[in-house]
Structure formats: C-alpha cells, structure tokens
Amino acid sequence: MTKCKCGRKPVYFRRYEGHYYCKCCFLSMIEKKFNKTVGKYRLVQNGDHIVVGLSGGKDSSTALYLMNRLLQKRENVSLTAVSIDEGIGTYRPKTLELAKKLCKDLEVPHKLYSFQKEFGKPLDKKIKGSKDACTFCGVGRRYLLNKASRELGATKLCVGHNLDDEAQSVLMNLLRGDLLRAGRMGTITENPAPKGFIPRIKPLRFIPEKETALYAILRGLPSPGSECPNLGGLRPEIRVFLNEMEQKRAGTKFALLESFDKLSPFVQKAVQYKGPLTKCKKCKEPSSKEVCKTCELWKSA
Amino acid sequence: MKVQVTYTGKTKSLTLKEGSSAQDLLEEMGINPEIVLVKQNNEIVPETELLSDKDKIDLILIKRIV
Ligand code: SF4
Ligand SMILES: [Zn+2]
Ligand SMILES: [Zn+2]
C-alpha cells in the first residue's frame, strides 16, 4: 500500500513530483507554499491593508483563509474581504452566501459591492442577446474591485487565481496576440502602481486548481459546487487542452507559467507598457485611453 | 469486480478488471484526472488507489468559480 512519507494513508498523489501526501502533510505543504510565495515576491509588507476579492468559490475562499492564517501572527497588517455581486441568476446569490458565512467564521470584515449600484444594471440584464458575458463581467469586476479597494484604503488587492487560471491566461493572451495584457501578468502586478491603481497580488498562482479544491474540501471551506452558467469563450477550450497536456506530461502548467514569467520583462519592453498614464475622462478612474474599457462597455448610452 | 460510481449527480454500476485503480476507472469513463477528486467509500484517495469489489466511488468535479 502507498503511504505518505509520515506513514499515514495518503489523500493525494502529486504526479509532477512523485510524492504522496496524507491530509495533514497536504494541508501543511499548501500552507508552506502559500507563505513561501508571499515571502519570495514580498506580497505583504508591514503597514499593508489587504483586500481579498472574495467570490465565495473555492479559490478565493482558500486565498482568504490562508491570508487570514498568515496574518494571525502580524499585528500591523489588516485584512478586509470584498465581494462583487455582478447579478448572475441564482448562481451568484449562492456563492455570496458562502462568502458571507466564511467572513463571519473567520471574523474578517466583509463589504459587498454590486453592478446594479455601480452601473445601474445587473449583468443578466446587460448581456441579453450578447454572447460575451465574461468580457462585460470581467471588465466590470476588475474595475469595481480596484475602486472598492481604493475607497477602503487598501494597499494590495489579493485575488484567488490558481496555477491553472494563470497558465490558461498565458496561452489565451498569446493566442489572441494580446501582448499588452500578457505583459501585465505576474504574481504581483501594477507594482509600483500608477496613481489610482491598487497593486494586485496572487499568492495561489503556483498552486494547481486541483490542489486548491482539495485544500478547500479538507478545510471545510466553500468547495466545488455550481458553475457560472455564462462560462464560455476561449477559456474552457484552453482548459481542456492544458489538462490533456498535463496528463501526457506532468508539470506542463508549471513549465508554461514559469517560462512565461522569465519572458515577461522582455514582453513588457517590447510592448513598452508604461501603465495607465491618464485618467478616464468619464469616470476619472486610471486608464490608458481617453475613455476606459469599463465606461466603453458599461457606461455608454 | 463491480463498483458503483457517482458522477455529476448520476450513479451507475461499472464492471472493472481485478486490480484496477481509480485512475483506470477514470480512463474507462473518459475523464481527465485533472478535473476530479476521487472519493472511495467516502474517503478522498489518490487516483493510484486500487479499487475493490462493491466500492462506492464519488467523483467530485472541480469547477471553475469566478
Ligand atoms: S464565467 Fe464569465 S460571466 Fe460567469 S462569473 Fe466568470 S467572468 Fe462572470
Ligand atoms: Zn503525512
Ligand atoms: Zn471610465
């Protein structure tokens, strides 16, 4: 019978490394990895106020749980969770309930912002007849998370993107020829941040999706449940492709992300990205164009 | 051997070769191990775990939640 190195019964086999983990060793391995990423990339510093973008799904819940755990020992860093209600059918109310409960359990302050209040319409109404729900949703959410973080006085915005999300994004940006966006990826982005922008940190970036899911289940955090009914576009296809490649060659996702991170400074140089240098003339939020993407999609008549 | 498999809300009975692992079961069902966690008689196990006759297997689909 297979065993964890401590002798207990395993719950997980990490293929790309060839090791078995029991529940206990798995949890502590993920926690160490999280803390190591935070340390290595200096994601958290004294005096920081961290806002965690919390959807109530497994990844953001795991990010909040681990960040809260890490900050227990630090008095000079504060933590707030922010949830965005985009207005997605019965799906979002369910995950928001989970988000609320988690914050209550962890005693982390929780703030809720909505598309309805900010843009005058929920996503469901906005996308009627349009296929590209995720564009409207993603652009609006990023905008609102940044604005909320700034209003709350945050110094960092923490998001729950895992290794799979990030490897998918690398491929998607390359396949779309969107080097500008590719150049903005990283474990910490917009740092130093242009005025009005809150640096984003991604401490789960080197943890595969399967491991964040297992962590969430073993810790009793919100775990795999329903999926957004709008999920479509290129991402699901890339996800299937990368999972097939990972099956054939364990470690593919890591290799993709790590090699891209090494190329990233050159990509930034090539596209000469200097950050959002101006303010949107409509909403006054930081933008690289006269009218920002959010106003273009959400605030045009 | 025969095992009972529950996946995405549906339960069915499957006959497998003796000595089959959870990994073999996933292959038989055409499911990539990257998208599921396997429970054998209510305990999470690695896919390399060997299955036994009358096992109850739950496949937990890992979904992307934004
Ligand atoms: S899948 Fe698309 S529509 Fe659904 S929450 Fe994610 S970005 Fe929004
Ligand atoms: Zn162990
Ligand atoms: Zn604007």
Side-chain angles (χ1 to χ4, degrees):
Chain A
M1 206 185 83
T2 52
K3 278 186 182 156
C4 176
K5 64 178 188 305
C6 74
R8 277 177 281 209
K9 196 173 179 309
V11 292
Y12 185 62
F13 177 58
R14 200 181 223 181
R15 269 183 70 228
Y16 55 87
E17 180 195 72
H19 290 167
Y20 285 92
Y21 290 87
C22 70
K23 176 177 172 178
C24 225
C25 294
F26 178 81
L27 292 174
S28 95
M29 176 270 291
I30 294 289
E31 286 154 5
K32 273 194 203 125
K33 197 159 180 188
F34 180 92
N35 295 353
K36 199 176 144 198
T37 303
V38 170
K40 181 173 171 195
Y41 295 90
R42 310 189 53 173
L43 302 186
V44 176
Q45 280 155 309
N46 284 342
D48 265 344
H49 174 194
I50 313 268
V51 157
V52 176
L54 181 68
S55 68
K58 65 182 189 317
D59 299 304
S60 59
S61 298
T62 296
L64 178 68
Y65 180 90
L66 288 170
M67 191 55 90
N68 185 53
R69 184 183 172 278
L70 175 72
L71 298 183
Q72 292 302 309
K73 292 167 233 147
R74 296 177 68 159
E75 276 169 18
N76 48 10
V77 180
S78 53
L79 185 63
T80 305
V82 167
S83 297
I84 308 289
D85 183 0
E86 302 93 341
I88 311 174
T90 57
Y91 161 76
R92 187 55 85 210
K94 274 186 228 154
T95 72
L96 288 177
E97 260 322 296
L98 298 172
K100 205 167 125 191
K101 183 177 178 298
L102 180 65
C103 290
K104 207 173 150 221
D105 290 349
L106 299 178
E107 298 178 25
V108 171
H110 186 209
K111 305 274 188 230
L112 184 65
Y113 291 76
S114 74
F115 277 19
Q116 171 72 54
K117 213 166 159 209
E118 181 71 24
F119 305 131
K121 257 190 210 151
L123 184 70
D124 282 349
K125 277 217 176 110
K126 179 79 182 173
I127 57 162
K128 265 195 184 144
S130 146
K131 277 183 282 174
D132 213 3
C134 295
T135 304
F136 285 94
C137 186
V139 166
R141 185 175 45 242
R142 257 193 306 281
Y143 168 94
L144 197 46
L145 274 175
N146 185 68
K147 191 174 169 191
S149 305
R150 199 184 57 228
E151 283 173 5
L152 292 166
T155 51
K156 305 267 169 63
L157 168 60
C158 169
V159 291
H161 296 43
N162 59 44
L163 173 68
D164 294 50
D165 294 331
E166 290 288 286
Q168 289 155 19
S169 296
V170 167
L171 263 194
M172 284 167 70
N173 288 332
L174 292 179
L175 292 178
R176 285 182 177 141
D178 193 347
L179 279 187
L180 197 60
R181 186 173 294 172
R184 278 185 304 205
M185 293 187 61
T187 314
I188 176 160
T189 55
E190 309 293 5
N191 187 47
K195 204 166 178 299
F197 249 117
I198 308 301
R200 281 156 55 103
I201 58 174
K202 299 177 181 168
L204 299 183
R205 197 166 178 257
F206 302 105
I207 302 180
E209 178 160 49
K210 187 161 170 154
E211 296 181 13
T212 62
L214 181 56
Y215 187 87
I217 289 177
L218 294 176
R219 278 273 180 236
L221 301 172
S223 40
S226 56
E227 190 160 41
C228 177
N230 296 328
L231 185 58
L234 183 58
R235 188 174 288 275
E237 287 177 54
I238 297 288
R239 185 181 190 229
V240 169
F241 169 72
L242 278 176
N243 282 341
E244 277 168 12
M245 292 307 294
E246 184 71 33
Q247 254 330 90
K248 287 180 192 152
R249 275 175 159 272
T252 295
K253 293 170 191 172
F254 271 116
L256 179 60
L257 191 60
E258 275 166 5
S259 45
F260 186 77
D261 277 357
K262 285 192 187 121
L263 287 173
S264 187
F266 303 101
V267 174
Q268 280 169 20
K269 225 174 173 181
V271 296
Q272 298 195 321
Y273 177 64
K274 295 193 189 77
L277 292 174
T278 167
K279 268 188 184 175
C280 167
K281 69 174 186 193
K282 282 195 174 173
C283 70
K284 310 282 181 272
E285 288 291 310
S287 169
S288 42
K289 286 184 291 180
E290 215 171 278
V291 174
C292 77
K293 193 84 188 156
T294 307
C295 286
E296 186 192 316
L297 293 176
W298 279 96
K299 299 192 176 176
S300 54
Chain B
M1 64 173 150
K2 248 190 176 150
V3 297
Q4 202 186 71
V5 188
T6 305
Y7 181 51
T8 59
K10 283 174 224 121
T11 303
K12 61 179 176 185
S13 188
L14 271 181
T15 308
L16 298 170
K17 272 199 293 243
E18 289 305 314
S20 292
S21 65
Q23 174 102 36
D24 298 323
L25 170 71
L26 293 176
E27 212 173 300
E28 177 80 27
M29 294 176 74
I31 299 169
N32 189 318
E34 289 289 295
I35 64 159
V36 287
L37 289 163
V38 180
K39 266 188 176 175
Q40 177 187 37
N41 306 320
N42 237 350
E43 268 183 58
I44 295 180
V45 293
E47 292 86 52
T48 48
E49 194 73 12
L50 297 181
L51 305 181
S52 315
D53 194 38
K54 298 199 183 68
D55 270 352
K56 278 199 173 67
I57 309 296
D58 281 295
L59 303 177
I60 309 167
L61 188 58
I62 300 165
K63 288 183 175 154
R64 183 164 195 280
I65 300 189
V66 197

